[in-house]
Structures are given as C-alpha cells and as structure tokens.
Amino acid sequence: MAEESDIVGVTGPLAPGEDPGLAPTPRDLPEPPRTASLADWEKLAAKEVKGADLTWATPEGIDVKPLYTADDVRRDPGLPGFAPFTRGVRASMYAGRPWTIRQYAGFSTAEESNAFYRRNLAAGQKGLSVAFDLATHRGYDSDHPRVVGDVGKAGVAIDSVEDMKILFEGIPLDQMSVSMTMNGAVIPILAFFIVAGEEQGVERAKLDGTIQNDILKEFMVRNTYIYPPEPSMRIVSDIIAYTSREMPKFNSISISGYHMQEAGATQVQELAFTIADGREYVKAAMASGLDIDKFAGRLSFFFAIGMNFFMEVAKLRAARTLWHRVMTELGAKDERSKMLRTHCQTSGVSLQEQDPYNNVIRTTIEALAAALGGTQSLHTNALDEAIALPTDFSARIARNTQLVLQEETGITKVVDPLGGSYYVEALTQQLVGRATELLDRIEREGGMARAVAAGWPKAMIEEASAARAAQVDRGETVIVGVNKYRPAQDDPIEILEVDNHAVREGQIARINQVKAGRDEDACRRALDALREGARGSANLLELAVEAARARATLGEISQAMEDVFGRYGTQPTPVRGVYGGSYKDDARWDRLTDGVAATERRMGRRPRMLVAKMGQDGHDRGANLVSSMFGDLGFEVVPGPLFQTPQEAARLAIDSDVDVVGASSLAAGHKTLIPELINELRDAGRADIKVVAGGVIPARDYQTLRDAGVQAIFGPGTNLIHAAEEVLRLLGHNMPPEQEAAE
C-alpha cells in the first residue's frame, strides 16, 4: 500500500488532502508537446519495423495507411439528422432509441415458425423478419414436382392465406413491424399478408413493415427471380404504387446489397450497385407517374456487414451521403426522401464450419460495426448457420449479442461515436469517390437495368469472389480456425434438421383442404382477372389481393402471371483466369496442372466436369468458384443451368459425356437431390460417372451421402486445391510423392 505522499497525480505529486480519485479538469492539463512531425513519425515507424511497408491494399483497391491525420480529411461530415446524413438520419440516433433487433427467421411450417417468433419476441426481439423456403421464393406450391427437396428447408413454406394467418397467429399486425425477404413471388406473398391482416382485423393502412421487392439484385447474384427483367420491373412499380396509396406505414422496397457481398462483391461494388439499383427503381416509379416525394420516404436499404470493421462503418456513412446526392439529382424536395434508412445483417459468408464457436466472435464484431455505422435495424447470424438453420440455443446467443451491445456497452449513449476519426472520415470519402466512379459508368451506359442485362456487374462480383477465394486458399487472407490456428480436432455441435418429407406432406394436405373449401368459380374469375391485368396495365398487386381473398394459392397466382410473362432462365458463364492467376509460379498449382495434362493424355481428351445446381437454390457463388478454378486448371467445365431437377442434371451429364459431376448444395436439399441424381445415372447405365458433393453439408450427413454413392464431399471452407487433388485421384491420377509429403 503506497503512502499518501507517494501517490502521483496526472500533473505531479498530490497536495496534502487532495483526493487521488479526482481527475484534473482539461484546463489544468499542460499542453502536449507539438514538436513531432509526420516525417518524424515515419522515420520512427520505419525503424521499428525495419523499413517494412505497413500499407494495406484492400480488395476495394484502397491503400490503407498505418496512420491518418487531419490532413487526410477533406470535408466536414456535418451533423447527425442533417443533410447529407453522413453521421445518421436522426439527430439523436441511439441516444433517443436503439436500433431495432430484427432477427431473420423461418423454417419448416408456419406453426413452427410462429412458435419460434413468439419465443423470440418474449425474450426481447422487437421486430419480425420472415425467411421463406425456396419453393415459395420461386412461385411454386409445395406439391409441385420441381420442389420435392426444397419445401421447408431454408425457410417457412407458404402456399396460401391460411399459412400466412397461422404464421402470425397471436402476433398483432397493427403493433408489430414485419419484414419479408421476398422478390420472386413478391405479389402473392404481399397479397397474402394484406388479406391475413384484414382477417385479423387490421386494415391495410395500419400494416407496418417492409417487403424486399428488389429484383435487379436477384438477376445479379441471388437468382430467386421468376419472370424476365421487364415485367419484373413492372411488378416493382406496381407494388410501390399500391403501397404508396393504400399502406402509408409500409416500406415498399428494401434495396439490398447484402446478397452482393455474400456473392463475393467488394464493399465498393456492394455500395455502388445497391445505390444504382435504388436509383433505377425510383426512375421506374417516376416513369409510371408517381411523385418522387410521395413514395421515396418509404424506401429502405439492406446491407451486409462483414469482417473489415472500419470499412463497414464507413460504407454505411458513405451510402447515406451518396443516396442524398442521388435523390437530390432526381428532383426530391422533401429531406425525408433523401434519407437512406437501412437494415443490416452480419455476414453469412464469414461464418465457418470449422471451429464454429469462433462465429460468435465474428458476429459480435460485425454487429458492433453495424451499430457504429448507424443502422436502423439489425439481424445477427447464429454460430451454426454455416452448417444448418439455427437451433434455439444458437439463435438465443445471436439475439443476446445485440441485447448486450445495447444494454451493457454504452455505445448507444453517444451519436456517431466514430465521427471525426481521421481514419473513418478518410475511408468514407474514399468509398464515396470509388462508388461514384461506378455509378457514373452505370449512368453513362443507360442505367442499372441495362448494366444487369449486359452482365458486367455480375462478372465483376464473380471476379472479386474468385480472387478472394484464392487468397484464402493460399493463406494470404487468414481465417482463424480454417487456414490458420486449426484445432487438433473439430468437436461436433448440435444442429437443427428439418424433416422435408413430413413438412411437404403437411403442406400438400393443407393445399388440398384450402382448394376443397373455396368457391372455385370465384377463384377462377380472380385468377382470370389477374391474367388479363398482366396483359394490360392494371395494378397486379391489387388484382392479386382479390385472388388471395378467393383462396388462390401462391403457385396459382404466380402461374397466372407466368402465363403472360413467361419464366426466366439464365446459363452461368464462369469467369476465367482470376483464380489461376493468383497461383502464378506456385509449385503446387503447377503439379496440379501437370496432373490434369497427364489425365488428358491418358484419356485422349481433357477431363470433363459438370457443375450441377439442383433444386430451387439460386445462390451460385460456390458453384461459380468451382467452375472457375477447375477451368483454370485445364478441365473442360460444363456449368449446369440453375434450378435443375436430378433427372435433368443426369441427362445433361450423360449428353455431355462428363467424367465427374460436382453437385453444389447450399440449402439443405442434399440428402434428397444428390441420391436421386446418382440413381438416375445408374438407371441410365452410367454409374461410371463419379459424383462429388460440396457446399453447406453437415458432417453428420456425410455417411448418408457416401452410402448413396457420393465419392467425395467438400464442406464449407474447403481449400479448392485439396478438392482438385481429390478429384484427380478419383479420375485415376496419382499425385507425385512430393505432393503427398506436402499434405
């Protein structure tokens, strides 16, 4: 214990009787020495690191310096609540009210999802965000033969108004804000929501929430579209018009960059393409006769938050700055029309199957970045979502991550606490500048719809994705527990499994019950009116509401429009040279290409691989990476079209005379679809075609797939070099001894 005379204060020894717990006031502190210059710092830093370059080149092409000063900040970011809203759209931000905890969830049946929502709401969640299954996204009823493996697997199955009513049973829709991630079947889903509200006693003017309704993003990355681009854009405009007129509390569109980053986009690409999508939607609505200030205040955004902490904070600040500029240029007068309000979700791609409890740390860091960036609502991913849908245990940790940030850290007490940081302000300015370059190119080339049709934004994203995958595989980008600091063994964790067959049977029973109890003539008339409206110019949502009241199913409403618009499909075109270019002069890559060449000599042609995407999952990042990497190695790659059935994939494999099929699965349909594919090949007399599987496949399902005939399985985080070595072995090529030793 020190004597009183030994205690030294900030400004020197304490006077007799002075309380050591009292800090001196700022005016009592001496002025700090100001003799050091930036040049002095550079010399000292260079000495400490022996001259090494500390500059970091980010995937966005931004050179991040190790030190930022006032000289790096060129403009005043303004104040929160005031244009251009860089520092936040509300003056008080979280000091007045924290962000909304809005967890995205939905699985199997409406009953199961409803029970999950009610448990979460009781535990502190403030808003709902509904995840629909892939059959629903793609406009198919659960009894459709194309969706046998998809029903209830990656979200909740909704086939009719009756399902929607069950989904929100006991949840008052006049008191709860509901977000729905839906783009393809957006017309029937929103119609069901409106009618479910009516039958709960809530008029549509009181419904509060958001529908994603962002179709341009679907054509770029997520691929849960139904109709071609032109009628799809009409649907967007019809929803904006209807909700502006009938649902003043409802956000008619959530312009999403989230799925772009998940597909591999850099933050600059995500930022620019998202703002460009928003600009395109506003132009389309104005072209249909709507006043910009009548609807723009109900537009919202949705961004991904990844592990580049300060870049993500700066991205949200830059997005608000850019949107204010864009809306001003489009003629908005009301300042509310120029405010970018956003929901955020922590990254799914950053989650790893290996050492999965690290995912809790990743999600916490990303959630903090979203809060410090000024999001209006937030979803935090669960630790097991790299493997399966979250369990109650993991979902509770994910939700409580936000509660702890709000209640225990003090970050909600100060508005924009990172505002004025030299680094954050400089990053914000650089992101604005880089995104503006892309926005200007898009405008010069006729707008985002034309850019999407030309395909270059999608190609840019795929190139960025391939470059990052190669960096991870080479160990240049560290993923803790995956390519560095691997645990000695992976401990299994409990995961949620949905009985797809039981869910589908239950949904089919309810569809039959709905059809048996409805007025068939009234339903047919409503569907005919919708079909005619699609041929003309009537508002499609208004007509779909009538069809929903008559108990038309989701598939029937979607089909009525498909009869007029057709169903859209695209053929993947993998990028070439990006992955392989990262391995230039790499000995291991050279041994692999030598192995491919040896296999070609032995077979008399290049080895041939079909990369197959079966079921209704449109997430194609993994499939595109595999196609790009194997193509760069020298394989002849057949990139299969999206949404194939096992029968169609088998026929394409046989017709293309492939040696191996790589089946990509990200939405839990692997135990149904891949065994069916193998059976189809066997029945056709081509059991010699080898089938390998990759994607989000839990380790506990590996033996089931092996028993079905799968010859290799590559789970999340697999190094593609390892995958290529294994495929070559399956094709009869033995790796050289030095390669075996390297493993």
Side-chain angles (χ1 to χ4, degrees):
M1 185 84 177
E3 296 292 330
E4 184 180 276
S5 60
D6 295 330
I7 299 174
V8 177
V10 176
T11 57
L14 295 172
E18 185 177 354
D19 183 354
L22 294 175
T25 60
R27 64 176 175 274
D28 296 329
L29 294 172
E31 284 291 319
R34 299 188 181 277
T35 56
S37 67
L38 185 58
D40 293 327
W41 175 87
E42 290 172 345
K43 291 178 183 177
L44 181 59
K47 181 179 179 181
E48 290 174 354
V49 297
K50 298 181 173 59
D53 185 5
L54 296 177
T55 301
W56 170 38
T58 76
E60 292 75 22
I62 294 174
D63 289 333
V64 175
K65 304 185 299 181
L67 178 70
Y68 284 80
T69 69
D71 293 338
D72 296 296
V73 181
R74 297 191 303 274
R75 62 176 67 88
D76 184 347
L79 291 170
F82 292 89
F85 308 110
T86 305
R87 301 194 64 188
V89 295
R90 295 176 62 87
S92 59
M93 286 301 288
Y94 309 143
R97 186 179 70 182
W99 66 88
T100 299
I101 300 172
R102 189 186 300 280
Q103 292 297 88
Y104 178 57
F107 53 90
S108 68
T109 64
E111 291 91 342
E112 290 287 335
S113 296
N114 173 263
F116 184 80
Y117 295 157
R118 292 170 72 169
R119 290 195 299 271
N120 277 7
L121 291 171
Q125 185 173 313
K126 300 300 183 184
L128 294 179
S129 184
V130 182
F132 299 96
D133 75 354
L134 291 166
T136 303
H137 273 288
R138 294 272 293 149
Y140 294 115
D141 284 337
S142 296
D143 59 359
H144 197 286
R146 298 194 73 87
V147 299
V148 172
D150 296 301
V151 176
K153 293 296 283 187
V156 61
I158 298 293
D159 292 308
S160 70
V161 168
E162 298 306 320
D163 289 329
M164 191 71 81
K165 288 170 66 177
I166 294 168
L167 188 66
F168 296 114
E169 186 176 349
I171 300 173
L173 292 178
D174 56 346
Q175 300 174 33
M176 181 59 57
S177 173
V178 177
S179 174
M180 293 179 287
T181 299
M182 178 54 64
N183 302 281
V186 62
I187 287 285
I189 284 295
L190 190 49
F192 291 167
F193 180 68
I194 291 167
V195 174
E198 289 176 354
E199 297 187 6
Q200 197 187 83
V202 180
E203 58 187 82
R204 55 183 174 268
K206 294 182 179 179
L207 293 173
D208 187 3
T210 303
I211 191 81
Q212 192 163 98
N213 193 27
D214 177 7
I215 201 64
L216 286 174
K217 168 261 300 176
E218 298 297 324
F219 290 117
M220 266 194 289
V221 289
R222 189 162 173 258
N223 300 311
T224 54
Y225 44 70
I226 299 176
Y227 314 109
E230 186 175 347
S232 295
M233 286 296 290
R234 173 189 167 181
I235 286 170
V236 172
S237 295
D238 281 1
I239 289 172
I240 292 173
Y242 182 93
T243 54
S244 298
R245 183 178 73 245
E246 304 287 341
M247 303 168 69
K249 297 175 66 177
F250 199 81
N251 297 320
S252 55
I253 190 169
S254 174
I255 304 149
S256 174
Y258 182 87
H259 302 99
M260 298 181 200
Q261 189 179 134
E262 292 290 280
T266 68
Q267 277 90 334
V268 165
Q269 292 167 355
E270 178 194 6
L271 176 61
F273 295 152
T274 304
I275 296 296
D277 281 352
R279 179 170 61 187
E280 194 81 357
Y281 295 134
V282 171
K283 286 182 175 181
M286 293 171 68
S288 70
L290 295 177
D291 182 335
I292 187 172
D293 286 315
K294 297 294 184 184
F295 68 85
R298 303 310 303 175
L299 304 179
S300 67
F301 285 77
F302 175 27
F303 286 102
I305 303 294
M307 285 296 289
N308 190 347
F309 184 87
F310 289 103
M311 191 74 76
E312 295 292 7
V313 172
K315 182 185 74 185
L316 297 185
R317 302 171 93 252
R320 291 191 289 270
T321 306
L322 286 166
W323 188 241
H324 182 272
R325 180 187 301 171
V326 164
M327 294 302 281
T328 301
E329 291 171 352
L330 290 175
K333 301 293 189 293
D334 188 339
E335 286 300 293
R336 180 175 170 79
S337 300
K338 305 175 188 179
M339 293 180 181
L340 183 146
R341 297 162 301 113
T342 190
H343 173 70
C344 289
Q345 180 174 338
T346 60
S347 174
V349 168
S350 73
L351 302 177
Q352 303 298 326
E353 179 189 36
Q354 297 90 344
D355 209 1
Y357 290 106
N358 288 339
N359 293 333
V360 177
I361 304 163
R362 295 184 177 104
T363 293
T364 303
I365 291 167
E366 292 165 353
L368 181 59
L372 294 178
T375 189
Q376 277 60 65
S377 62
L378 178 63
H379 166 92
T380 33
N381 287 333
L383 67 95
D384 47 4
E385 288 187 66
I387 309 166
L389 290 170
T391 62
D392 277 1
F393 170 78
S394 65
R396 178 172 174 266
I397 294 173
R399 181 192 65 246
N400 286 355
T401 299
Q402 297 195 53
L403 291 172
V404 170
L405 287 176
Q406 289 185 351
E407 303 290 349
E408 298 187 24
T409 64
I411 63 171
T412 62
K413 307 300 183 186
V414 176
V415 181
D416 189 26
L418 289 182
S421 157
Y422 299 142
Y423 179 35
V424 170
E425 299 298 353
L427 271 185
T428 301
Q429 292 167 187
Q430 290 185 76
L431 284 172
V432 168
R434 296 297 179 98
T436 297
E437 293 173 6
L438 276 176
L439 284 164
D440 289 347
R441 176 186 173 183
I442 292 165
E443 196 70 353
R444 286 195 306 272
E445 296 184 15
M448 197 60 184
R450 288 191 178 181
V452 169
W456 65 263
K458 181 178 179 68
M460 283 184 69
I461 291 171
E462 291 183 3
E463 288 171 6
S465 176
R468 175 174 168 79
Q471 289 172 343
V472 171
D473 285 352
R474 287 172 60 88
E476 295 166 355
T477 295
V478 172
I479 309 295
V480 174
V482 177
N483 62 3
K484 195 173 184 180
Y485 312 113
R486 282 294 302 268
Q489 63 181 31
D490 289 324
D491 296 325
I493 62 172
E494 180 184 349
I495 62 173
L496 177 70
E497 183 165 10
V498 173
D499 186 342
N500 163 246
H501 298 290
V503 174
R504 186 166 184 264
E505 288 174 3
Q507 288 300 121
I508 292 173
R510 188 144 58 221
I511 290 171
N512 293 337
Q513 185 179 26
V514 167
K515 289 182 176 181
R518 70 190 183 186
D519 182 333
E520 199 62 40
D521 288 340
C523 182
R524 179 183 51 78
R525 288 193 299 272
L527 289 171
D528 286 344
L530 176 60
R531 196 173 289 107
E532 287 305 309
R535 292 191 178 98
S537 58
N539 188 287
L540 296 173
L541 179 55
E542 187 171 353
L543 293 170
V545 168
E546 294 303 318
R549 287 196 187 107
R551 286 331 191 242
T553 67
L554 176 133
E556 290 171 330
I557 293 172
S558 297
Q559 186 63 50
M561 293 185 288
E562 184 179 337
D563 290 344
V564 179
F565 300 146
R567 183 171 281 266
Y568 186 70
T570 57
Q571 181 71 32
T573 305
V575 298
R576 298 296 301 270
V578 177
Y579 193 101
S582 299
Y583 276 88
K584 185 179 180 182
D585 301 325
D586 185 286
R588 195 173 188 189
W589 181 266
D590 291 342
R591 283 194 292 271
L592 278 172
T593 55
D594 289 345
V596 173
T599 303
E600 179 180 357
R601 289 192 297 272
R602 177 170 51 80
M603 298 175 66
R605 61 167 174 79
R606 289 193 294 159
R608 193 172 296 141
M609 169 187 278
L610 167 64
V611 179
K613 282 289 294 182
M614 297 178 290
Q616 297 304 307
D617 173 35
H619 294 87
D620 58 356
R621 177 179 184 168
N624 291 337
L625 283 175
V626 169
S627 294
S628 298
M629 186 270 194
F630 276 84
D632 286 354
L633 272 179
F635 275 71
E636 182 180 339
V637 175
V638 180
L642 298 176
F643 315 123
Q644 285 191 304
T645 64
Q647 295 78 15
E648 291 165 343
R651 177 47 49 197
L652 180 59
I654 294 167
D655 291 346
S656 302
D657 192 24
V658 301
D659 307 297
V660 60
V661 176
S664 173
S665 175
L666 294 179
H670 50 273
K671 289 203 296 184
T672 301
L673 299 171
I674 298 176
E676 286 188 21
L677 167 67
I678 293 170
N679 289 336
E680 290 289 332
L681 291 172
R682 285 174 177 165
D683 291 346
R686 291 303 309 271
D688 60 300
I689 297 177
K690 297 167 176 30
V691 175
V692 301
V696 180
I697 301 174
R700 74 180 188 189
D701 292 346
Y702 284 14
Q703 192 58 50
T704 300
L705 293 179
R706 291 185 181 116
D707 292 344
V710 174
Q711 299 202 24
I713 303 169
F714 308 112
T718 295
N719 187 305
L720 289 181
I721 295 295
H722 295 165
E725 292 168 353
E726 183 62 26
V727 169
L728 279 175
R729 287 192 183 96
L730 290 175
L731 295 179
H733 179 75
N734 293 318
M735 298 304 296
E738 61 267 28
Q739 180 62 35
E740 300 288 355
E743 292 182 352

